[in-house]
Amino acid sequence: MTSIRFGVCLSSALFALLTVPAQGQTPQAPASPTPAPPTSASPTPGAQSKPAATSAATSAPAPQKAVPDYPDPRTLTLGVSYWLTGPGTEPSVYGGNQALDYETLTDWGRPHRAPGIEASVPITRTGELHLEYFRLKGDGNQTASVATDVFGSAAYNPGDYLATQYQVQSAKLYLEDLLWPHKFPVAKFRVRSLWEVEWVQIKSTVDAPYIDATGVSASTSATEQLILPAFGLSAEYAIAPHVLLKASASGFGLWHKADVWDAEATIGYRWRDWEIRGGAKTLHFKTSPNNTDYESGTFAGAFVGLRWHWSL
């Protein structure tokens, strides 16, 4: 009995020794999981404004560059030209409706080179005002084939040696306005209307030097002029931004009255404020035949020109 009690007591002591924690140690609670840091931390005001500004800048559309109306700026323009007049109908004098005898003398001689000047200024979004002027001279020699009374003051007989001289001046003021297609920026091919006033003056002189040597005056001269309106069209094609191909024609006349017409075809290249042009032009004029006599002529040939564009 005693041994049984001892065994029970020994078993109880061993169980207590194993289950009671050691002295000076505190029991530890089971570890709880550590909470994760918040995923959306509030940023500082400075850090928040920078991404917002960058996002706004990237999302805003870039400003579009304004397209000009014309490839080259329209400015006040001054220019000079040199007309190399060539084959054409030389100026001639014909008897008019009031002539009492034969008063015709043709082919007064080939014209010399003709210098000219020009100026233009834009006055509306589509229109430009132009002013052009040139002067040419010519002379020739011939033998009268028939008896003729030139300008009603000098009579020449067949076989008389005649020296002829003339001077032609022409000026025209005109408005050149965009006609078709009427849109901006202007198309590469465009048509313009021409509204003109043209002035032509002819001074002519005939001299018979061999007759003058005998002491008999055989010189005569006259000045005639005409002022007429003219209407026409010009067509342009921009081959490149600074290269322009252009052709124009205008004129006016009435049956059995005075008439005038001119035409030209050019190609021009512009570099900054300077423009060089080249091409061909022609001019025809006829004074009124309802007089004692009238003059008529047609000039044609190549020409070159230089323009300076003054940026306002």
Side-chain angles (χ1 to χ4, degrees):
M1 181 62 71
T2 307
S3 59
I4 294 172
R5 291 179 180 175
F6 178 76
V8 171
C9 292
L10 182 60
S11 301
S12 303
L14 289 174
F15 178 78
L17 183 64
L18 293 173
T19 55
V20 174
Q23 187 177 1
Q25 293 182 351
T26 60
Q28 295 182 358
S32 59
T34 307
T39 55
S40 59
S42 61
T44 61
Q48 184 179 5
S49 61
K50 185 175 181 181
T54 308
S55 173
T58 11
S59 61
Q64 295 183 354
K65 187 178 180 180
V67 181
D69 290 346
Y70 299 87
D72 290 313
R74 301 164 70 229
T75 63
L76 171 65
T77 303
L78 304 174
V80 293
S81 63
Y82 195 64
W83 190 11
L84 291 78
T85 48
T89 303
E90 298 172 354
S92 302
V93 176
Y94 301 95
N97 297 334
Q98 301 179 15
L100 301 178
D101 50 12
Y102 189 77
E103 299 191 12
T104 297
L105 185 65
T106 61
D107 301 333
W108 284 49
R110 182 174 176 176
H112 303 311
R113 308 298 181 247
I117 57 174
E118 62 174 322
S120 65
V121 61
I123 57 174
T124 66
R125 190 181 183 185
T126 59
E128 287 185 329
L129 193 63
H130 295 258
L131 176 63
E132 297 180 4
Y133 169 83
F134 75 87
R135 182 182 67 180
L136 64 83
K137 294 182 178 182
D139 53 59
N141 299 289
Q142 60 179 289
T143 301
S145 57
V146 296
T148 181
D149 184 7
V150 181
F151 302 135
S153 59
Y156 303 107
N157 299 313
D160 287 346
Y161 180 79
L162 306 178
T164 53
Q165 295 179 341
Y166 62 89
Q167 174 183 280
V168 177
Q169 299 183 87
S170 175
K172 65 176 181 178
L173 178 68
Y174 64 97
L175 172 66
E176 185 178 33
D177 203 4
L178 181 63
L179 183 63
W180 181 89
H182 200 281
K183 66 174 187 176
F184 298 98
V186 294
K188 284 188 176 182
F189 176 78
R190 47 196 182 261
V191 178
R192 299 178 181 274
S193 59
L194 302 175
W195 308 86
E196 306 179 352
V197 175
E198 189 154 3
W199 167 76
V200 179
Q201 183 190 71
I202 312 99
K203 292 182 179 180
S204 307
T205 301
V206 185
D207 184 27
Y210 297 147
I211 299 178
D212 289 343
T214 63
V216 179
S217 175
S219 296
T220 182
S221 61
T223 299
E224 297 190 51
Q225 62 183 2
L226 58 87
I227 301 176
L228 288 175
F231 312 97
L233 295 174
S234 69
E236 299 176 348
Y237 182 73
I239 303 175
H242 306 292
V243 181
L244 187 65
L245 185 65
K246 185 173 181 178
S248 62
S250 63
F252 181 80
L254 297 174
W255 184 255
H256 293 310
K257 300 290 183 180
D259 61 54
V260 63
W261 59 264
D262 58 19
E264 68 177 37
T266 64
I267 184 170
Y269 172 73
R270 180 169 172 177
W271 183 75
R272 296 183 180 176
D273 293 338
W274 294 95
E275 180 184 0
I276 184 169
R277 299 188 309 141
K281 67 183 296 181
T282 181
L283 168 71
H284 167 81
F285 69 88
K286 183 186 73 174
T287 60
S288 176
N290 294 325
N291 295 312
T292 305
D293 52 63
Y294 68 94
E295 297 190 53
S296 177
T298 303
F299 305 103
F303 82 99
V304 292
L306 184 65
R307 288 173 172 173
W308 175 60
H309 298 265
W310 180 29
S311 302
L312 299 175

